[in-house]
Amino acid sequence: MPTSTVLLCCVVLIQLFAGQTDARSSSPWQTLSGDAPLVIARGGFSGLFPDSSLNAYSFAVQTSVPGSALWCDVQLTKDGAGICFPDLKLNNASTVEYVYPNRQKSYPVNGVSTQGWFTIDFSLRDLNDVSLIRGILSRTEKFDGIYPILTVEDVTTQIKPESFWLNVQHDAFFEQQNLSMSKFLISASRIVSINYISSPEVNFFTKISGRFGRNGPLFVFQFLRKEDIEPTTNQTYGSILSNLTFVKTFASGILVPKSYILPLDDKQYLVPPPKSLVQDAHKAGLQVYVSGFANDIDIAHDYSSDPVSEYLSFVDNGNFSVDGVLSDFPLTASSSIDCFSHLGQNAIKQVNFLVISKNGASGDYPGCTDLAYDKAIKDGADVIDCSVQMSSDGVPFCSRSIDLSNSTMISQTPFAQRSTLVPEISSSGGIYTFSLTWAEIRNLTPAIGNPYRSYTMFRNPNKKNSGKLILLSEFLNLANNSTLLSGVLISVENAVYLREKQGLDVVKAVLDTLTETGYGNGTTKTKVMIQSTNSSVLVEFKKQSKYEAVYKVDEKISDISDSAIEDIKKFANAVVIGKESVFSLLDSFITRQTNVVEKLQKSKLPVYVELFQNEFVSQPYDFFSDPTVEINSYILGAGINGTITEFPFTAARYKRNRCLGTQETLPPYMAPFKPGSLLQAVNAIPPAQAPNPVFTDDDVTEPPLPPVTAKSPTSSPGTSFTNAQAPRPSGQTRLTLSLRFSVFASLLLLWISSPLCS
């Protein structure tokens, strides 16, 4: 048995998969046939494993809807063998240049001189020493060099796919080298079941037309970029698109890039309305398949980095449905079609957990703004949150950071001169909320957070400075007026520093505001939760109120002691932990599941986990660059009680997931993964790291909050970075000038009446 086959037995999910069930929706589909769209796995599960490798194909079959198709880009070798490989040039996704460093050549490809290691220069025997690697460098290299190149026959005999799709990208090139792709396919069809054949060349279909018999494969014409020239007709693909009746004479369907249907502008936003291509093709009797789906690439900002939303826009938008999607991540395509299509906002919730926002819908708008909160409520959050900050005049408001340079455009205003160094808060300087009055803060322009700027990934640039900061009182009124929310979460940090150094009592400010806005003392329909990383803060709230207290464990921990849990129970009703305190990571792979959630829940402490984000770079490889898979793993796999997320819509939609039910009926694309199983399949397991620490009662216990120290009128918040004085608002300036004038007038009268002046 090949090594790769043995490794496959260890791969994610397989031990947990129940029998596959076809639970596709009975709702009508707007495809040409009326059936659910076809899931086509491009090179297998090529988003994770090397394209066209044994594990890529096997894993695609294991994690996709029944009837999905395996895609093979067919290339011909020197001796006429057909292999599955994503490109004419072997060096793009194999080790060939290391095995045969001197066999590089140059050929004209579509009229362009191209250099590389071409399949036509190697026999099948030569390629026995060559292994597959990732073709996209941003993907993990941990599976490189494990898998051999497969022939077309290998795929069918070793994998036995229900449906097999062969793509012929360069028939004309092979013909120029005296190799016949059409002869190979006709010969292969005698021993291999071929369901679909696609190509971007009209002449290729002319050569194979009528040579496969009545039950032969369906022919699909592939459209390249609209400006590219189709070699047979010498027309652009854009021109051919306007003559679909011509395409119908030799093909049953068309394969087009996503942009043919839902084009994007230069800033990666959808350009409405959608093109009518799908409806036009269906009228011509052509099925429409769409290429270009992958979870780990930038998608339209309209989808909030959520690949399921993108799939649904093509298969379940109310106006049309494409007939199939070509994806590097067939698991996500499968769950989108089977679990999330035809779901209305009022669909029955299949699972119960709290969806808690993180600064509102801060993945779509600047955090803690009116727009972020409005969207979080609209998107289905159960609880919206406010990170309370204090202005210099003691006004509590919501801001994702005590440093305004992290959450607003203040650094581009004259207030930038108020930057100070406060070692108790940060080792670098900041422009802190307690350095400005609320009147100065309220008109600042907010800024969206971009946690993955280093990956050149930016959130919703058209709205990056939209919305306005709001008072804690405005936040509470917004929540109280909503019929969709079950509660609010108020986060309180830096209370000790604010009391000792700034004379600001954030605990009293929060309690007073809750009372003033009608929240009473935990008696309203809207549940109030107070969160802090400081036990002393929650103890203080517990003394003065009956609101629910949520203790946040800021550290990454591998375990928690019983004594720490007992201490937490004295002042808290729930606990927040980080994702890595649930699933331990090593080199972006999950190694194991901790027992932290289990131990806390056994002590009747609900566990909420943060921080959930949609960007694929935020997720370990075990979640396949899919935020829905990540949520599923924490909810079904770890059994947490709530998610704290910057994208509430994705978590709220998961609740209505039609595929959820008992473990025995879960389809494979909705089964929780087995922690550590994917790491076992990598080429070289990275060295073990020191485990995260155990959280003990010493980490919990803190001295009581200090009393509020009156702030000296002349004291400054910290060490100023500049001697220049920021401009004051006009009213304050007038007051200062009038005081100075009064003092000057008094001194003048004293001087006139003094003996020296007589």
Side-chain angles (χ1 to χ4, degrees):
M1 182 181 291
T3 304
S4 55
T5 304
V6 176
L7 287 170
L8 181 62
C9 297
C10 300
V11 177
V12 187
L13 299 173
I14 291 178
Q15 293 185 7
L16 294 177
F17 284 166
Q20 293 191 9
T21 57
D22 192 353
R24 294 192 178 190
S25 170
S26 59
S27 301
W29 291 92
Q30 293 177 289
T31 55
L32 183 62
S33 65
D35 296 330
L38 178 69
V39 173
I40 312 157
R42 194 189 70 81
F45 207 119
S46 56
L48 181 63
F49 299 103
D51 193 306
S52 306
S53 64
L54 179 62
N55 265 22
Y57 283 129
S58 299
F59 199 58
V61 170
Q62 292 286 345
T63 59
S64 300
V65 289
S68 60
L70 295 186
W71 168 284
C72 163
D73 284 296
V74 186
Q75 316 295 342
L76 295 179
T77 63
K78 181 179 182 179
D79 47 351
I83 61 172
C84 292
F85 195 82
D87 195 84
L88 272 176
K89 296 196 301 178
L90 290 163
N91 52 298
N92 285 347
S94 82
T95 59
V96 69
E97 60 184 300
Y98 305 105
V99 178
Y100 301 106
N102 300 318
R103 293 179 65 172
Q104 186 179 20
K105 288 190 178 181
S106 181
Y107 291 97
V109 180
N110 295 333
V112 178
S113 179
T114 306
Q115 198 170 33
W117 284 256
F118 286 80
T119 63
I120 60 171
D121 293 319
F122 298 86
S123 67
L124 189 59
R125 185 172 181 178
D126 292 334
L127 297 181
N128 286 339
D129 298 324
V130 177
S131 55
L132 296 167
I133 62 174
R134 72 199 191 283
I136 298 176
L137 293 179
S138 60
R139 293 173 175 171
T140 179
E141 78 285 1
K142 297 300 183 182
F143 303 107
D144 287 357
I146 300 176
Y147 311 105
I149 294 174
L150 300 177
T151 65
V152 170
E153 187 176 351
D154 287 337
V155 176
T156 57
T157 56
Q158 296 185 43
I159 308 300
K160 297 179 175 61
E162 287 188 57
S163 185
F164 199 23
W165 186 311
L166 300 184
N167 182 55
V168 178
Q169 196 73 17
H170 296 286
D171 175 64
F173 172 81
F174 289 115
E175 188 170 306
Q176 291 166 7
Q177 311 306 319
N178 296 316
L179 291 168
S180 175
M181 182 64 76
S182 57
K183 286 182 180 179
F184 164 76
L185 291 175
I186 293 164
S187 175
S189 67
R190 299 187 182 104
I191 55 175
V192 172
S193 178
I194 305 172
N195 304 90
Y196 300 87
I197 295 177
S198 59
S199 176
E201 300 178 11
V202 173
N203 188 52
F204 168 74
F205 290 108
T206 303
K207 288 189 294 183
I208 65 173
S209 178
R211 302 185 66 181
F212 286 92
R214 183 178 301 174
N215 297 318
L218 296 176
F219 296 159
V220 179
F221 181 61
Q222 182 183 12
F223 283 79
L224 304 182
R225 295 179 303 175
K226 290 184 178 181
E227 64 272 19
D228 288 345
I229 303 294
E230 194 284 315
T232 309
T233 61
N234 205 31
Q235 296 182 49
T236 65
Y237 287 97
S239 298
I240 297 174
L241 192 67
S242 62
N243 192 3
L244 293 176
T245 54
F246 164 67
V247 177
K248 179 60 179 172
T249 62
F250 60 85
S252 300
I254 59 175
L255 173 65
V256 299
K258 294 184 296 186
S259 60
Y260 272 50
I261 300 170
L262 296 176
L264 303 180
D265 63 18
D266 293 340
K267 297 175 71 176
Q268 288 292 105
Y269 286 91
L270 295 174
V271 179
K275 302 296 182 182
S276 62
L277 172 60
V278 178
Q279 295 95 324
D280 295 341
H282 284 172
K283 287 178 183 177
L286 289 166
Q287 292 183 318
V288 181
Y289 304 96
V290 186
S291 63
F293 290 94
N295 296 357
D296 56 352
I297 58 174
D298 286 339
I299 59 177
H301 293 296
D302 310 69
Y303 303 128
S304 301
S305 299
D306 180 356
V308 172
S309 291
E310 182 183 38
Y311 283 111
L312 294 178
S313 70
F314 283 87
V315 303
D316 184 31
N317 59 36
N319 295 314
F320 63 81
S321 173
V322 301
D323 300 275
V325 291
L326 178 62
S327 175
D328 291 13
F329 293 83
L331 179 148
T332 302
S334 297
S335 67
S336 301
I337 291 169
D338 195 12
C339 305
F340 297 105
S341 293
H342 311 309
L343 289 183
Q345 286 292 330
N346 297 321
I348 297 174
K349 292 180 181 178
Q350 304 293 332
V351 63
N352 188 34
F353 64 94
L354 281 184
V355 176
I356 306 170
S357 75
K358 181 68 172 181
N359 304 316
S362 54
D364 294 298
Y365 291 101
C368 294
T369 60
D370 56 338
L371 294 181
Y373 289 128
D374 286 341
K375 190 170 196 306
I377 295 171
K378 179 183 177 183
D379 286 349
D382 300 302
V383 176
I384 58 173
D385 70 306
C386 169
S387 298
V388 176
Q389 313 298 342
M390 297 290 286
S391 64
S392 63
D393 50 347
V395 178
F397 66 99
C398 303
S399 175
R400 63 183 173 89
S401 175
I402 194 171
D403 182 357
L404 290 166
S405 59
N406 291 333
S407 57
T408 71
M409 302 299 291
I410 194 170
S411 60
Q412 298 181 17
T413 73
F415 294 127
Q417 297 173 4
R418 298 194 193 179
S419 181
T420 58
L421 179 63
V422 181
E424 296 94 330
I425 296 176
S426 174
S427 58
S428 56
I431 311 170
Y432 294 103
T433 62
F434 47 75
S435 299
L436 285 80
T437 66
W438 171 243
E440 294 170 322
I441 293 170
R442 70 183 310 160
N443 293 320
L444 292 175
T445 301
I448 200 167
N450 285 303
Y452 303 107
R453 180 186 298 270
S454 61
Y455 295 91
T456 65
M457 298 178 69
F458 298 92
R459 293 174 169 175
N460 201 5
N462 281 358
K463 301 294 182 182
K464 64 181 181 180
N465 299 121
S466 298
K468 63 182 179 111
L469 297 175
I470 63 175
L471 295 167
L472 173 60
S473 59
E474 294 173 317
F475 166 83
L476 291 170
N477 287 330
L478 173 68
N480 210 19
N481 291 332
S482 172
T483 58
L484 303 175
L485 293 173
S486 62
V488 294
L489 185 145
I490 299 171
S491 179
V492 177
E493 301 294 342
N494 303 301
V496 172
Y497 173 81
L498 291 172
R499 281 190 170 203
E500 287 187 330
K501 300 299 176 68
Q502 297 301 321
L504 297 170
D505 190 347
V506 63
V507 173
K508 183 177 186 302
V510 169
L511 290 171
D512 288 349
T513 306
L514 283 165
T515 301
E516 292 164 6
T517 51
Y519 279 77
N521 196 6
T523 58
T524 59
K525 65 177 181 63
T526 305
K527 180 169 63 176
V528 176
M529 297 186 285
I530 308 294
Q531 174 186 292
S532 183
T533 58
N534 300 116
S535 59
S536 56
V537 169
L538 298 180
V539 168
E540 187 72 18
F541 272 103
K542 185 178 179 67
K543 288 179 182 177
Q544 302 187 49
S545 71
K546 296 181 180 179
Y547 302 117
E548 287 194 19
V550 179
Y551 183 55
K552 180 178 176 180
V553 178
D554 226 6
E555 300 91 336
K556 298 174 185 176
I557 60 174
S558 61
D559 198 355
I560 185 167
S561 69
D562 292 339
S563 56
I565 295 175
E566 289 305 311
D567 280 353
I568 292 171
K569 288 178 64 177
K570 294 175 183 176
F571 60 84
N573 307 95
V575 177
V576 170
I577 58 176
K579 291 191 295 186
E580 286 191 50
S581 296
V582 181
F583 295 119
S584 298
L585 292 184
L586 177 61
D587 210 12
S588 292
F589 288 90
I590 289 175
T591 57
R592 70 183 188 94
Q593 181 176 335
T594 73
N595 63 353
V596 175
V597 173
E598 180 184 4
K599 291 178 75 171
L600 288 168
Q601 290 177 339
K602 278 185 177 179
S603 296
K604 310 299 182 185
L605 287 169
V607 180
Y608 310 131
V609 174
E610 71 170 28
L611 176 66
F612 288 85
Q613 300 166 311
N614 282 1
E615 289 92 349
F616 69 90
V617 293
S618 71
Q619 299 140 17
Y621 294 118
D622 306 70
F623 300 143
F624 318 125
S625 303
D626 183 342
T628 298
V629 172
E630 181 177 47
I631 293 167
N632 185 61
S633 300
Y634 279 90
I635 298 300
L636 289 191
I640 68 172
N641 303 97
T643 58
I644 300 176
T645 173
E646 295 181 323
F647 296 88
F649 178 82
T650 303
R653 182 189 59 210
Y654 171 82
K655 286 186 174 186
R656 306 192 305 275
N657 177 351
R658 191 174 53 250
C659 291
L660 294 181
T662 62
Q663 289 285 343
E664 289 72 27
T665 61
L666 281 174
Y669 33 87
M670 201 47 63
F673 75 107
K674 183 178 180 181
S677 56
L678 187 59
L679 185 62
Q680 297 176 40
V682 305
N683 191 6
I685 296 178
Q689 298 173 351
N692 292 329
V694 176
F695 198 72
T696 68
D697 48 349
D698 289 338
D699 299 304
V700 179
T701 306
E702 294 178 350
L705 285 180
V708 178
T709 303
K711 182 180 176 183
S712 170
T714 58
S715 66
S716 61
T719 304
S720 177
F721 283 2
T722 175
N723 292 324
Q725 189 175 17
R728 298 182 176 89
S730 57
Q732 188 175 349
T733 304
R734 286 195 297 271
L735 176 61
T736 304
L737 288 174
S738 65
L739 286 172
R740 287 178 177 175
F741 181 78
S742 298
V743 171
F744 175 76
S746 299
L747 289 172
L748 182 61
L749 286 172
L750 286 171
W751 183 79
I752 291 173
S753 60
S754 70
L756 291 175
C757 194
S758 57

